[in-house]
Amino acid sequence: MSPRGSRGPLPPLLLVWALAACAARASEITFELPDNAKQCFYEEIAQGTKCTLEFQVITGGHYDVDCRLEDPDGIVLYKEMKKQYDSFTFTASRNGTYKFCFSNEFSTFTHKTVYFDFQVGEDPPLFPSENRVTALTQMESACVSIHEALKSVIDYQTHFRLREAQGRSRAEDLNTRVAYWSIGEAIILLVVSVGQVFLLKSFFSDKRTTTTRVGS
Amino acid sequence: LALYFHIGEREEKCIIEDIPSDTLVVGNYKVQRWNIHQHDFLESAPGLGMFVTVTSPTGEVLLSKLYGPQGTFSFTSYLSGEHIICFQSNSTRFAVTAGSKLRIHLDIRVGEHFLDESAIQAKDKVNEVNVRLEHLIEQIHHVTREQDYEREREEKFRKTSEENNSNILWWAIVQTLILISVGIWQIKSLRDFFISKKLV
């Protein structure tokens, strides 16, 4: 890579992951939501910011949860009951603290593991076009494409990881259930059959005083 | 530090991070206590601290330290798996006082390597490009590690499913055998019984 002495300083190559200090933020958290519990998260958002909330239930019960997103005035922007996975994009209509809650209150004894990803603001462009004299050079446009491609790699990776975790959780549940049910059924079978025989035998037991003669 | 949530004073809140081995996790947090008189969360409460405990997938404790009301913690995972990061305040007050709760601001970054900004500002622009490219290579290594870990997990998943499959078949066969043998025993036993009772 030769230095571009004659064309002025090389513009800063903000490569992937160099998250600029401004608006773009993303928080992703995986947490356990006990039964009959509700967990709320709050975030301060400036007006006009485009935000995305995405959540998925990874383990527990029927793999569903209630989700609710409210703006600072208490107006419900998004409300879904018993959803396994969803993604919701909105633009903040006013400044303030937005609140989103996950509720497992409909469940009596299963606790759930929930993953959510709350993205605030768009990523700033890699090469801001304010002080530019020329269009993007080839190297810079290559960087931009790498950045975009890697962003979608991360996205796919996360989705795949969550789906695999969910599938694995179901398989392990199934395994335990099959084992318990089979053992239980075998025991019931034995107990009932042996009980039947002894019960029948007891009907014909010799009680001398009350025997009735069968047949003519 | 924008995202926050509330917990009770003595409550412990945990989050789960399923990460591959050799991954650096950095967390920033800030904790505030609810002040009943001002009906607001105090900007900083003296003496308020936070116990941060990180448990590895095998149950071994990787990190267990008391930090102040605001702090940064980090750890590197040795094993792949579910690491559990728990927060609990060191408040000794009993949570009987009404409305007593804590607000925790949290920001957790997994697998990010930080650019050495001073190296970026170097006069030599070639060096700057070098540094950024090395950073990029590190990040791609992290993607590769995640994928390897994903492969391991998928294999475990496949094994569980296949085990499931053979378990179901095995149990069905065993139960049919039990059913048949118990049926035969029943009939034999009753027949012998009736013969001995001279009813047949």
Side-chain angles (χ1 to χ4, degrees), chain A residues 65-83:
Chain A
V65 76
D66 297 342
C67 178
R68 184 193 174 90
L69 172 65
E70 288 175 9
D71 78 351
D73 298 321
I75 302 170
V76 175
L77 295 173
Y78 170 82
K79 179 175 165 174
E80 283 288 344
M81 315 294 281
K82 300 199 181 180
K83 241 357 191 137

Side-chain angles (χ1 to χ4, degrees), chain A residues 13 17 30 42 175 185 196, chain B residues 4 16 132 139 175 186:
Chain A
L13 297 174
W17 298 105
T30 314
Y42 308 80
N175 209 358
E185 199 180 319
Q196 270 182 337
Chain B
Y4 62 86
I16 303 169
R132 292 202 186 269
Q139 301 292 7
Q175 280 186 17
Q186 268 189 329

Side-chain angles (χ1 to χ4, degrees), chain A residues 53-124:
Chain A
L53 170 68
E54 195 181 313
F55 68 92
Q56 181 164 2
V57 184
I58 305 179
T59 67
H62 288 292
Y63 303 86
D64 52 3
V65 76
D66 297 342
C67 178
R68 184 193 174 90
L69 172 65
E70 288 175 9
D71 78 351
D73 298 321
I75 302 170
V76 175
L77 295 173
Y78 170 82
K79 179 175 165 174
E80 283 288 344
M81 315 294 281
K82 300 199 181 180
K83 241 357 191 137
Q84 290 193 357
Y85 156 81
D86 208 359
S87 171
F88 177 66
T89 311
F90 67 99
T91 310
S93 54
R94 45 160 293 190
N95 286 334
T97 307
Y98 285 71
K99 160 177 157 175
F100 55 99
C101 297
F102 298 99
S103 159
N104 196 19
E105 281 152 345
F106 56 84
S107 167
T108 36
F109 54 85
T110 43
H111 41 254
K112 312 238 159 101
T113 311
V114 179
Y115 161 91
F116 75 85
D117 179 10
F118 193 61
Q119 174 109 16
V120 175
E122 298 272 346
D123 282 337

Side-chain angles (χ1 to χ4, degrees), chain B residues 16-168:
Chain B
I16 303 169
E17 290 288 345
D18 198 359
I19 49 180
S21 55
D22 290 328
T23 309
L24 174 70
V25 177
V26 175
N28 277 318
Y29 78 91
K30 180 168 123 175
V31 61
Q32 294 171 311
R33 183 188 270 145
W34 176 257
N35 185 311
I36 306 176
H37 311 293
Q38 293 169 357
H39 278 283
D40 196 1
F41 283 88
L42 296 175
E43 198 39 57
S44 66
L48 182 64
M50 203 72 174
F51 274 114
V52 178
T53 316
V54 176
T55 317
S56 81
T58 50
E60 178 198 337
V61 174
L62 289 179
L63 175 75
S64 177
K65 267 173 81 167
L66 175 65
Y67 292 89
Q70 186 164 355
T72 307
F73 61 91
S74 68
F75 67 93
T76 308
S77 57
Y78 297 112
L79 300 166
S80 314
E82 282 193 353
H83 292 71
I84 305 181
I85 305 172
C86 289
F87 301 94
Q88 189 173 25
S89 80
N90 66 343
S91 166
T92 44
R93 302 205 304 216
F94 292 107
V96 216
T97 43
S100 171
K101 53 186 184 201
L102 298 173
R103 173 180 290 183
I104 302 183
H105 299 250
L106 193 59
D107 181 29
I108 308 252
R109 298 199 179 277
V110 174
E112 284 192 29
H113 301 261
F114 297 97
L115 289 177
D116 188 4
E117 289 297 331
S118 55
I120 302 297
Q121 303 305 328
K123 297 283 170 69
D124 187 354
K125 289 301 174 183
V126 174
N127 200 29
E128 175 186 341
V129 169
N130 261 347
V131 168
R132 292 202 186 269
L133 280 176
E134 277 172 15
H135 180 244
L136 181 63
I137 290 174
E138 264 307 309
Q139 301 292 7
I140 296 192
H141 280 158
H142 171 65
V143 167
T144 314
R145 272 202 298 271
E146 278 266 7
Q147 286 187 329
D148 284 339
Y149 178 40
E150 186 54 48
R151 258 211 196 135
E152 276 174 44
R153 278 182 295 190
E154 196 271 337
E155 197 181 306
K156 184 170 151 208
F157 178 19
R158 214 171 347 115
K159 249 177 53 177
T160 308
S161 294
E162 283 169 3
E163 203 184 296
N164 249 347
N165 203 4
S166 52
N167 268 350
I168 291 174

